[in-house]
Amino acid sequence: MLHLCGIALGVSIRNKKDEKRERMKKYKVEFETNDTKYLEIYRHIKKIIEKGQLRPNEKLPPLRRLSEFLGVNISTCVNAYNLLEKEHLIYKVSGSGCYVLPVEEGVEEETGKVRFDIGHPSTDMFPLENFRRSVEKAMALNLRGVFDYEEGLGYEKLREYLVRYLEQSGIHSNKERIQIISGAQQGISLVAKALLNYGDIIYVEEPSYHGAMEVFSDKKLKPVSIPMMHDGIDVGILKTKLERFRPSLIYVMPTYQNPTGVNYSLKKKKLLLELAAKYDFYIIEDDFLSDIEFHGHKEHAPLRSYDEHNRVIYIKSFSKILMPGLRIGFMEMPESFVPAIRKEKNKMDIAGPSIIQHSLYKYFQDFDWNLHLSMVQGAYLRKFELMSRSLEKGFTGLLEFLRPAGGTNAFFYLPKGHSAKDFRLYLRRQHNIEVLEGGLFGDSLRCQRGFRISCASLDEEAIPSSFELLRKATGEYLQQG
């Protein structure tokens, strides 16, 4: 009898182990890079929550178990869980673990939701069929090459094309200064890992792109925030801080800044470059939308095009003008930085996907890039004009915000005494509206009462009515005190 009980107990233990292994399968992540693993874990868990594969209040794996299962450092999982908590997808119970936030407080997918929180445009703007043909042509011409490593700086022919591409923006370079990267996020990470040390001071805009802020936090850098104004960062505050704290780098998005949509004036661009030379620091320029004309003038040309002092590390992403899922971009940098960046890139992922690099080159070679840009520009311009009219009509006098010069983003500030976190939950529960709270874009008290909206994924015809819903909901919230 005891023998039979022992067998039954053993079977029960094995069954439980099998169940645990089966439950863990849904957390399996196929990593694209070594440097942004926490973001990939975050995106994967967010996806399975949104798909309903994790139930409300379901417990997530303990950090140690998840790190062992994925073969990553435990701090990587900590960062992923922290980001999920920031986005109100999970909640923590002290001494117990992390759990999926219930549907009434977490992510809802019912029809009618207004998604101001999605920053990437819909895929109907992009040349899916033409790029499919480019992939086929690349494979037909060089089947082995597209599946081999593109070590070093990346596919040479693509880099040669990018030199000519930069010339159109007034940037004079050469192929040995260009590093192909898997999107802007990897470029920012490469700079942080290759050129900065623990505790280095780096200046950032406030508010700033939350992906960059995560990289700087993970590297344990010391960010110093410079407030944004209607024409770029506050140069007066920048000068004052430069007298006290000398930065290694300053990170900026001079063209249609994320999250405000502000454009730097030409005067501020040139002054920033002069200050970089005077105080001996470098500038990371993150450019994702300078190809698009919103006002028919060229003052939005990249900061790098005015750089006479060799101070700019230029990071260009194609995610907003070609296709978000391609995960490809490039860095153009002073020659002295190339060896360190190249070494770090090799440690990070050896090489980016060759098939994407070869296919992108074929797309540039065989299709009319300027025609594509004109089509994308038309879609962006229509959305921007609809958003601008909605902001002017509905939010002037209601909330403080910097008027965007282009793009699809705007950043609002609630009156003092209000919390963007509470406001975001109110919008979600009472009005089925999603926004991103300002704490993702900066740590100051001012940012804590801010929130970002984007019309990128909204249908054009839905933009006016969506903004009207947001206006009414905001008015009701503020009347409640």
Side-chain angles (χ1 to χ4, degrees):
M1 184 69 177
L2 288 174
H3 176 66
L4 291 174
C5 288
I7 292 174
L9 180 60
V11 170
S12 176
I13 292 172
R14 283 197 299 274
N15 287 341
K16 287 182 178 179
K17 287 182 178 179
D18 290 341
E19 289 175 8
K20 285 183 178 179
R21 280 195 292 267
E22 193 63 32
R23 285 199 298 269
M24 289 300 293
K25 284 183 180 179
K26 68 180 73 172
Y27 294 96
K28 183 65 177 175
V29 180
E30 298 296 334
F31 295 111
E32 295 180 6
T33 71
N34 290 325
D35 196 58
T36 57
K37 287 183 177 179
Y38 77 98
L39 286 173
E40 295 182 50
I41 295 170
Y42 149 75
R43 293 187 189 111
H44 179 75
I45 295 178
K46 178 181 180 180
K47 183 177 179 180
I48 61 177
I49 289 174
E50 292 175 342
K51 284 186 173 182
Q53 295 176 17
L54 292 173
R55 300 184 305 278
N57 297 310
E58 181 174 340
K59 186 176 182 180
L60 272 64
L63 290 166
R64 190 168 300 281
R65 183 186 300 169
L66 183 63
S67 69
E68 291 173 352
F69 175 72
L70 296 176
V72 299
N73 191 289
I74 194 169
S75 64
T76 302
C77 297
V78 170
N79 289 335
Y81 277 17
N82 285 342
L83 193 52
L84 288 164
E85 186 183 28
K86 275 186 179 181
E87 293 235 8
H88 308 293
L89 294 165
I90 67 173
Y91 64 95
K92 295 178 182 177
V93 177
S94 181
S96 177
C98 294
Y99 298 80
V100 178
L101 209 62
V103 67
E104 66 272 13
E105 295 181 29
V107 174
E108 302 173 75
E109 289 300 329
E110 67 268 29
T111 58
K113 180 179 285 294
V114 180
R115 300 303 301 263
F116 284 116
D117 58 324
I118 299 174
H120 58 79
S122 55
T123 55
D124 57 6
M125 289 174 57
F126 301 122
L128 304 180
E129 179 58 27
N130 285 349
F131 199 82
R132 180 188 66 78
R133 290 161 64 188
S134 297
V135 174
E136 292 174 350
K137 288 183 178 182
M139 294 177 66
L141 289 171
N142 189 5
L143 184 59
R144 291 188 178 184
V146 299
F147 292 109
D148 201 357
Y149 281 126
E150 282 295 347
E151 298 185 28
L153 297 173
Y155 184 37
E156 184 176 19
K157 288 185 177 180
L158 177 58
R159 288 187 289 117
E160 289 172 350
Y161 172 83
L162 292 173
V163 171
R164 300 192 297 274
Y165 172 87
L166 288 171
E167 289 283 348
Q168 298 177 39
S169 298
I171 298 173
H172 308 293
S173 187
N174 62 69
K175 66 181 181 181
E176 302 305 323
R177 295 178 58 161
I178 293 176
Q179 171 72 64
I180 305 298
I181 53 177
S182 299
Q185 188 79 16
Q186 186 183 58
I188 298 165
S189 298
L190 280 169
V191 173
K193 284 182 173 290
L195 306 180
L196 299 174
N197 297 309
Y198 175 90
D200 278 359
I201 294 174
I202 181 167
Y203 283 14
V204 297
E205 303 158 326
E206 187 185 78
S208 184
Y209 170 50
H210 62 88
M213 300 296 286
E214 290 285 348
V215 170
F216 302 147
S217 174
D218 192 51
K219 181 68 177 178
K220 302 295 187 292
L221 302 175
K222 294 180 179 178
V224 175
S225 299
I226 311 296
M228 288 292 294
M229 301 177 70
H230 71 281
D231 61 347
I233 53 175
D234 189 322
V235 174
I237 292 178
L238 173 62
K239 289 179 178 179
T240 300
K241 290 185 180 293
L242 283 172
E243 292 296 333
R244 299 175 60 196
F245 311 106
R246 298 295 173 89
S248 300
L249 288 163
I250 181 169
Y251 170 77
V252 295
M253 303 182 77
T255 309
Y256 314 130
Q257 194 253 8
N258 182 7
T260 64
V262 163
N263 243 6
Y264 280 47
S265 66
L266 181 57
K267 180 180 178 180
K268 282 196 173 178
K269 286 179 180 179
K270 291 186 175 181
L271 183 55
L272 181 57
L273 291 166
E274 290 171 8
L275 292 172
K278 178 179 178 180
Y279 290 94
D280 192 25
F281 62 86
Y282 287 86
I283 303 167
I284 306 175
E285 179 181 12
D286 187 350
D287 175 15
F288 67 103
L289 209 57
S290 68
D291 304 75
I292 304 300
E293 291 274 358
F294 285 94
H295 300 289
H297 57 73
K298 283 293 183 182
E299 195 164 292
H300 73 283
L303 179 71
R304 172 69 180 87
S305 66
Y306 304 105
D307 181 18
E308 298 176 354
H309 308 290
N310 209 28
R311 288 282 156 180
V312 176
I313 301 167
Y314 179 73
I315 297 176
K316 177 68 177 180
S317 168
F318 290 111
S319 61
K320 298 295 191 295
I321 56 174
L322 189 52
M323 280 178 281
L326 281 182
R327 307 309 306 146
I328 191 167
F330 66 92
M331 296 172 60
E332 194 274 346
M333 70 200 97
E335 291 180 6
S336 59
F337 292 156
V338 171
I341 293 292
R342 183 172 176 174
K343 180 179 179 182
E344 194 60 47
K345 179 70 166 62
N346 188 64
K347 287 195 296 183
M348 191 178 291
D349 61 5
I350 302 178
S354 296
I355 189 169
I356 298 299
Q357 297 182 49
H358 283 247
S359 300
L360 181 57
Y361 173 70
K362 286 302 297 177
Y363 179 81
F364 284 138
Q365 190 179 45
D366 293 350
F367 296 97
D368 190 332
W369 175 248
N370 290 326
L371 176 61
H372 164 68
L373 279 181
S374 67
M375 295 173 64
V376 172
Q377 177 167 303
Y380 268 118
L381 186 57
R382 290 191 297 274
K383 288 191 175 187
F384 174 71
E385 289 176 343
L386 289 166
M387 179 179 74
S388 295
R389 287 198 290 269
S390 297
L391 291 174
E392 193 69 30
K393 177 182 176 182
F395 292 87
T396 300
L398 180 65
L399 287 178
E400 177 189 354
F401 66 96
L402 293 171
R403 283 173 173 76
T408 57
N409 300 325
F411 197 84
F412 297 92
Y413 295 98
L414 295 165
K416 290 182 179 180
H418 291 277
S419 162
K421 180 177 181 180
D422 293 340
F423 179 63
R424 181 178 186 240
L425 290 176
Y426 167 82
L427 290 177
R428 173 183 290 161
R429 294 169 179 167
Q430 302 299 322
H431 296 278
N432 214 18
I433 297 172
E434 289 285 353
V435 299
L436 288 181
E437 64 190 66
L440 290 171
F441 304 91
D443 295 328
S444 71
L445 292 175
R446 180 171 163 80
C447 272
Q448 299 305 313
R449 57 184 177 87
F451 65 95
R452 192 203 78 175
I453 61 93
S454 175
C455 66
S457 68
L458 298 178
D459 292 334
E460 290 176 19
E461 60 270 19
I463 290 176
S465 59
S466 297
F467 273 89
E468 178 61 15
L469 288 172
L470 179 61
R471 184 196 66 79
K472 288 181 178 179
T474 302
E476 291 175 11
Y477 176 80
L478 294 176
Q479 285 180 356
Q480 294 176 7

